[in-house]
Amino acid sequence: MSRRPGFSGPLLLGASLLLASTAGAASGRTILHNGKVFTSDPADLWAEAVAVQGRRVVAVGSDDAVLDLATPGTRIVDLGGRTVIPGLNDAHVHVLAPGGTHLNSPTDFIPGPGPALPEVLDLLHGGASASPAGTWLIGFVGTAIFEDPHANRFAFDTASPDHPVVLFAWTGHGTWLNSRAMELLGIAEDEPDPFGGHYARVADTEVITGEAHEYAEHQIRRKLYALLSDEELVAQYRRFASDALRLGFTSLQDMAVGLPHERALAVLRAADLPVRVRSICTPLSPDEGCADSRGGGAAAKVRASGVKWFTDGTPVERLACVSEPYADRPGWSGAFNLPEGPLAEILGEGLRGSPRRNQLLFHAVGDEAIGRIFDAMEASGGPAAWHGRRTRIEHGDLLLPSDIARARELGAMVVQNPTHLSLPHVFAERFSPEILGEVEPLASLLDEGIPLAFGTDGIGAVMNPFVDLLLATLHPTRPEEALTLEEAVMAYTRGAAYAELEEHRKGTLAPGHLADLAVLSQDIFSVDPPEAMVATTSELTIVGGEIVWDSGALDVGR
């Protein structure tokens, strides 16, 4: 059977059954018609109209069939031929960012090398000169700093001795501090490596250079968030949600790395956002709990669910854990963050309770990291224990053919970030031609029955999902792994809902599902050239039947 979805024509989906239970509330009905409705339902991908009652979709189908459901109190919205999709669901995002004076933006150089050390020192000197003493100076760096052995706190101190400095790698894996920042954060010069992370040190000594990786940098983020008030974090969430709605996002699966889970939930509930947020716990060690002291009803937009662990870094800084040494650093294969004992403990905890609540998510890029996770899953019960729990491999760039069958048997799925597909030059430097020919599977995952979801992997700012959709349909690293646009949109909607065990209530425009949808500014399925897709925005975003963003392009009055 082909995995490629096709057009089967508009079809009314179960409207009469659902309308029978809502007949007494017809005045709250809204019908959007005269459009091109992409349902994300592979059985019936296309329709012309959708009817909403309260928080849910009650009908999807042809204009005539759905308009026949109108009553005197129904609001009718003429889409004017516009395209409607289920609300986008960012399955992997980091909404928050530490506060301070930001000296540059990573968008200026991703995925390039970024500023070299002299440029960084100029940025720090300028920031220190223009900011009051004690202001935190935040910068972003790339491979030019990763590769420079002189890029350390001693060099940064020359440009900013009195202002604390934090430099973040654009990959999200790598943090550099100056001496003042270490002092204020309580990090000793000979600080021991924490669980799952490490500090770089001056050769043959225990003296820290200011460079931190993995769980060491997660601890730094925790200390930085402790400097921000709840009100400041609420403001960040609100700004992010406002920008996300304008791009058609209706759900965010947030991984607040470094923020204690209880605080993340308290801040989210105080923010009262118009989007749905799944708050995923990201503990700093297996000893740190993820309990939520408050539940959420069916109507709650904030849901506590899932536990995220980092097993390795990325190929950019050569910390993805791989079985074949890096081609440009012979003898080095990256690092695996989780010792065998704690990994077994994490898996044991993951098997307790419902998978919807205790789902495990593993950042795992390298094939060795993925293999070790699968080995541990097999040792802790194998497919019989794990198949229904939807263990997530976040990124999975090196999920090689040798492990795809194991992924399927164990019920694992992949949550990929298509921005990774824009790094063919980095992958070509890091890996042998044989490995390069197998990296970043997409189409083959669907062919092999591996569920696939998409997320932006954004940190502190909303990233454009239409860039992701374009990259997924091009796949610059391996064009043979490109998806159709229909498959890519389903990964961002239906697949993302499946990734949080919510596919029964969202991710598809079908009767009974939550009325989360976006009316797009252009038809992404026919735009020419395809690159023009990246200019798409949402003209109308609806969450739970409520209009939460309206550009004014449509007449939505009664």
Side-chain angles (χ1 to χ4, degrees):
M1 179 181 295
S2 172
R3 64 181 171 84
R4 304 289 180 182
F7 177 78
S8 60
L11 177 69
L12 189 66
L13 303 176
S16 59
L17 175 63
L18 283 161
L19 285 171
S21 65
T22 58
S27 61
R29 189 173 302 159
T30 296
I31 291 177
L32 296 88
H33 74 106
N34 187 26
K36 182 177 179 181
V37 179
F38 182 80
T39 68
S40 278
D41 180 350
D44 295 287
L45 276 181
W46 300 98
E48 296 171 331
V50 58
V52 173
Q53 184 108 12
R55 296 187 298 117
R56 298 188 181 275
V57 172
V58 293
V60 181
S62 68
D63 279 337
D64 289 344
V66 176
L67 285 170
D68 277 348
L69 304 174
T71 67
T74 299
R75 175 165 55 181
I76 307 293
V77 178
D78 187 341
L79 294 168
R82 290 174 176 81
T83 297
V84 178
I85 62 173
L88 296 170
N89 182 341
D90 193 335
H92 183 120
V93 67
H94 312 278
V95 171
L96 299 178
T101 296
H102 286 216
L103 303 177
N104 64 344
S105 170
T107 58
D108 295 336
F109 56 82
I110 291 175
L117 182 58
E119 298 171 86
V120 170
L121 296 180
D122 286 344
L123 284 171
L124 295 179
H125 179 75
S129 299
S131 304
T135 301
W136 286 82
L137 303 181
I138 308 293
F140 299 92
V141 296
T143 52
I145 294 300
F146 300 176
E147 308 289 346
D148 190 338
H150 302 293
N152 54 42
R153 64 185 173 98
F154 310 110
F156 307 145
D157 289 348
T158 64
S160 179
D162 300 317
H163 290 70
V165 170
V166 185
L167 303 177
F168 293 112
W170 64 261
T171 62
H173 292 259
T175 302
W176 286 258
L177 306 174
N178 72 345
S179 297
R180 182 61 176 152
M182 284 177 51
E183 177 187 351
L184 292 176
L185 295 178
I187 300 173
E189 290 207 346
D190 59 351
E191 188 80 17
D193 289 341
F195 167 86
H198 65 275
Y199 296 99
R201 302 178 189 274
V202 176
D204 301 319
T205 77
E206 293 300 311
V207 176
I208 289 175
T209 67
E211 179 181 346
H213 290 282
E214 300 307 299
Y215 282 86
E217 61 184 312
H218 300 174
Q219 288 198 353
I220 290 171
R221 284 184 178 267
R222 175 157 298 185
K223 293 172 183 287
L224 291 171
Y225 287 139
L227 301 176
L228 298 178
S229 67
D230 285 0
E231 291 73 20
E232 289 171 303
L233 297 179
V234 164
Q236 284 197 44
Y237 272 115
R238 287 176 174 167
R239 284 193 298 269
F240 194 101
S242 176
D243 292 341
L245 292 172
R246 288 163 168 78
L247 288 171
F249 285 111
T250 58
S251 290
L252 307 172
Q253 298 184 43
D254 180 42
M255 306 165 186
V257 179
L259 195 67
H261 193 47
E262 285 283 357
R263 188 180 182 204
L265 289 168
V267 167
L268 276 167
R269 286 163 177 151
D272 191 24
L273 302 179
V275 298
R276 304 186 194 281
V277 182
R278 177 196 191 188
S279 183
I280 298 166
C281 182
T282 55
L284 297 186
S285 76
D287 297 330
E288 182 175 324
C290 289
D292 175 21
S293 60
R294 287 181 49 188
K301 288 193 173 71
V302 176
R303 185 169 70 93
S305 166
V307 185
K308 168 79 177 291
W309 297 97
F310 292 79
T311 68
D312 64 351
T314 86
V316 180
E317 67 279 353
R318 301 184 189 85
L319 283 178
C321 186
V322 294
S323 58
E324 180 181 296
Y326 285 93
D328 56 354
R329 186 173 293 177
W332 174 249
S333 299
F336 191 73
N337 297 337
L338 306 180
E340 183 176 348
L343 177 57
E345 181 182 345
I346 288 166
L347 292 173
E349 187 64 29
L351 286 172
R352 298 187 179 95
S354 73
R356 190 169 181 270
R357 180 60 182 268
N358 283 4
Q359 182 187 36
L360 290 178
L361 301 82
F362 291 102
H363 169 107
V365 173
D367 64 308
E368 179 68 18
I370 295 168
R372 292 192 192 187
I373 294 168
F374 290 167
D375 288 345
M377 291 173 69
E378 289 171 346
S380 59
W386 288 102
H387 192 271
R389 305 195 74 86
R390 301 187 195 177
T391 303
R392 286 174 44 162
I393 302 298
E394 306 296 306
H395 317 303
D397 296 84
L398 271 75
L399 176 56
L400 303 183
S402 56
D403 266 333
I404 284 181
R406 286 212 291 170
R408 183 176 59 250
E409 292 165 2
L410 290 165
M413 68 172 299
V414 172
V415 177
Q416 181 57 281
N417 312 114
T419 49
H420 292 201
L421 310 181
S422 66
L423 303 173
H425 62 291
V426 174
F427 279 69
E429 293 171 358
R430 300 290 187 264
F431 303 121
S432 68
E434 293 75 20
I435 296 295
L436 187 64
E438 296 182 331
V439 301
E440 299 178 325
L442 290 182
S444 59
L445 294 181
L446 297 184
D447 285 338
E448 294 294 332
I450 308 298
L452 176 67
F454 283 163
T456 63
D457 204 12
I459 304 175
V462 178
M463 295 179 67
N464 188 337
F466 301 101
V467 172
D468 285 343
L469 293 173
L470 176 65
L471 286 169
T473 60
L474 298 176
H475 206 312
T477 306
R478 293 178 65 199
E480 70 274 16
E481 285 293 323
L483 303 181
T484 67
L485 184 55
E486 289 86 351
E487 290 169 330
V489 174
M490 283 194 284
Y492 240 134
T493 54
R494 183 185 181 93
Y498 184 90
E500 58 173 325
L501 293 98
E502 287 274 277
E503 76 281 3
H504 62 289
R505 64 195 298 260
K506 63 180 181 179
T508 305
L509 293 178
H513 282 224
L514 291 167
D516 297 354
L517 59 88
V519 180
L520 303 183
S521 61
Q522 60 178 337
D523 180 10
I524 60 174
F525 298 96
S526 63
V527 65
D528 188 32
E531 290 77 8
M533 185 192 314
V534 303
T536 307
T537 59
S538 176
E539 293 190 335
L540 191 72
T541 305
I542 295 176
V543 177
E546 179 183 353
I547 296 173
V548 291
W549 160 246
D550 181 1
S551 72
L554 290 167
D555 181 5
V556 298
R558 301 191 85 87

